[in-house]
Amino acid sequence: MDKIIEKILTFSDPYIALDERVAIKKNEITVDSNHFPYTKLAIIAVGKASYKMAKFFVDKLEDVKGLVVLPKGSYVHLPKVKVIESTHPEISELSFKAGMEVIKFLKNEDYDLLIFLLSGGASALIEYSSISYEILREINEKLVKSGLSINEINTVRKHLSLIKGGKLTEFSKAPILTLIVSDVPGGDLSAVGSGPTLPDSSTVDDAKLILNKIGLGEYSKYLVETKKEVHNSFNFLILDINTVLRKLRDIVQNPIILSSEIRGDAYSFGQNLAGIVNTSFSNLGLKPPYTLLAGGEPDVKIEGKAGKGGRNGEVCLGFLKWVKINSNYRFKLYAIATDGIDGNSEYAGCIIDENTVVDNIEYYIYSHSSYEALEKAGRVIKTGYTFTNVNNVYVLEVT
């Protein structure tokens, strides 16, 4: 595996992050300098990072009961705890079943401290609502394809649910220690997995505005309010994209961190990266070698039929179309989804350089078929499930 990809995945590993931040002693959990006593401990882990987060506690604790919810197709056995699969990114009957399993666990198990391990993907993996899953699935599908930011999408999701937006805390019989691996640009922890154990500052009116903006106002009748205060949950960010970028900065040549909050159109972000390289000599005063670092979650708006593609593929094609090949420098762009899956492809992302050739690039851009093009060019990255999720990482080396 390429060194940069290997480092990105290591720096994104939630097991390693927990080991750096969490100490476990008999009858006490310590996060940084915060102490949480217990006599009967339980864990619930939900999200793309749930396996590695749960494994940390299973490995460290002799006696623990728990429930772990993984994306379908990524099942891994863990001793001592129950592991179930659900669906992502679509909401299904399995999402409702997993939501009921979580509620049943909270109500029936005997515990005096609950460790809730939350990561991106939880929004689809667990659900409990007065709305049928068919309607929720329809809304969710339209939201995902709308081009909205993850914050906007999750604002709507929270107000359609009876467990998101802090409402899961109503089912717990003990204090909750929530440890979070964030995939949301901008640091809004309540948006991670739609914040089942965190207070939510957004309102029904905010959700209505978002639905109206994308022509889905008809669904406003299903919206319900979220919890503005949560008194029984203590929340800690364990790992996010900023951690990954700071560690990458220490291993690359002349690093420049552009942003950890990349949003907006993915193709346009690729264009902008190309523009920086094109003008670096004449206008920006940048001389090779240098490395641009960025992270975030750019969007792809799908209208009509689309091919095999994803946000990172579109970033790469946008860059490749607009970058000026120059004999004075060489470049290599890494675009990788830390969860191992980009869009509707089986790839985590792509690597392109000045030797990458994509014929008929306009067609692949227009049809959102980036990975069909990058497969042919031999520029795809395949990692399989990584059991983490801290956004997308972009590394642009110019030498």
Side-chain angles (χ1 to χ4, degrees), residues 123-152:
S123 292
L125 289 172
I126 60 170
E127 186 56 278
Y128 179 64
S129 177
S130 59
I131 310 166
S132 70
Y133 86 86
E134 291 94 348
I135 294 174
L136 273 179
R137 181 178 59 190
E138 181 180 329
I139 298 172
N140 188 65
E141 183 178 345
K142 291 178 178 178
L143 288 172
V144 169
K145 292 182 178 180
S146 67
L148 291 172
S149 71
I150 187 64
N151 300 69
E152 291 174 309

Side-chain angles (χ1 to χ4, degrees), residues 177-399:
L177 171 57
T178 302
L179 305 179
I180 303 167
V181 172
S182 175
D183 66 330
V184 176
D188 180 6
L189 297 185
S190 71
V192 180
S194 299
T197 59
L198 287 84
D200 176 48
S201 61
S202 71
T203 66
V204 164
D205 287 339
D206 294 326
K208 283 181 181 177
L209 285 173
I210 293 167
L211 288 173
N212 287 334
K213 182 169 76 170
I214 58 173
L216 300 180
E218 64 189 282
Y219 297 112
S220 294
K221 61 186 177 183
Y222 298 115
L223 299 173
V224 294
E225 199 50 89
T226 51
K227 289 181 73 69
K228 307 310 170 193
E229 293 183 358
V230 172
H231 300 293
N232 64 335
S233 182
F234 305 88
N235 311 305
F236 294 90
L237 174 64
I238 295 298
L239 177 64
D240 70 351
I241 188 64
N242 290 297
T243 307
V244 177
L245 294 180
R246 283 194 298 267
K247 291 184 175 183
L248 281 172
R249 183 177 57 192
D250 295 335
I251 66 165
V252 299
Q253 286 187 299
N254 299 327
I256 302 167
I257 297 180
L258 295 178
S259 175
S260 62
E261 300 183 22
I262 300 300
R263 299 182 179 91
D265 181 62
Y267 172 76
S268 298
F269 175 58
Q271 277 184 307
N272 292 333
L273 282 178
I276 293 173
V277 175
N278 293 343
T279 59
S280 60
F281 286 101
S282 57
N283 297 328
L284 301 180
L286 291 175
K287 293 185 178 179
Y290 63 86
T291 308
L292 302 181
L293 302 172
E297 192 145 334
D299 311 310
V300 178
K301 186 174 183 179
I302 305 294
E303 294 178 348
K305 190 176 180 181
K308 184 194 292 186
R311 52 175 58 90
N312 293 329
E314 300 224 353
V315 168
C316 285
L317 292 192
F319 180 87
L320 195 61
K321 175 173 169 53
W322 292 99
V323 71
K324 295 176 182 176
I325 305 299
N326 190 313
S327 59
N328 292 324
Y329 59 80
R330 298 187 305 164
F331 64 81
K332 182 179 281 189
L333 172 62
Y334 298 81
I336 181 168
T338 53
D339 64 356
I341 302 295
D342 187 36
N344 63 2
S345 78
E346 64 272 39
Y347 303 116
C350 42
I351 308 174
I352 58 172
D353 58 26
E354 69 278 358
N355 297 314
T356 305
V357 177
V358 174
D359 295 323
N360 201 13
I361 192 170
E362 292 282 1
Y363 164 77
Y364 293 108
I365 292 168
Y366 178 78
S367 63
H368 298 294
S369 304
S370 55
Y371 282 112
E372 295 174 33
L374 293 163
E375 275 178 322
K376 292 177 183 177
R379 300 293 175 164
V380 292
I381 302 168
K382 192 170 184 178
T383 64
Y385 286 107
T386 61
F387 301 106
T388 189
N389 188 24
V390 288
N391 285 149
N392 301 274
V393 179
Y394 305 100
V395 179
L396 176 55
E397 298 175 334
V398 182
T399 56

Side-chain angles (χ1 to χ4, degrees), residues 59-112:
D59 287 350
K60 306 289 184 183
L61 292 163
E62 289 185 11
D63 184 26
V64 63
K65 64 190 73 175
L67 177 65
V68 180
V69 185
L70 298 171
K72 190 175 182 181
S74 66
Y75 180 86
V76 181
H77 172 73
L78 273 173
K80 308 175 190 175
V81 298
K82 182 178 182 180
V83 181
I84 62 174
E85 290 184 303
S86 184
T87 50
H88 181 277
E90 71 276 5
I91 289 174
S92 70
E93 288 178 297
L94 288 178
S95 309
F96 275 68
K97 182 179 178 181
M100 288 302 299
E101 287 276 352
V102 168
I103 293 170
K104 180 181 173 183
F105 183 94
L106 291 173
K107 287 182 174 181
N108 296 342
E109 292 295 339
D110 185 18
Y111 57 95
D112 58 10

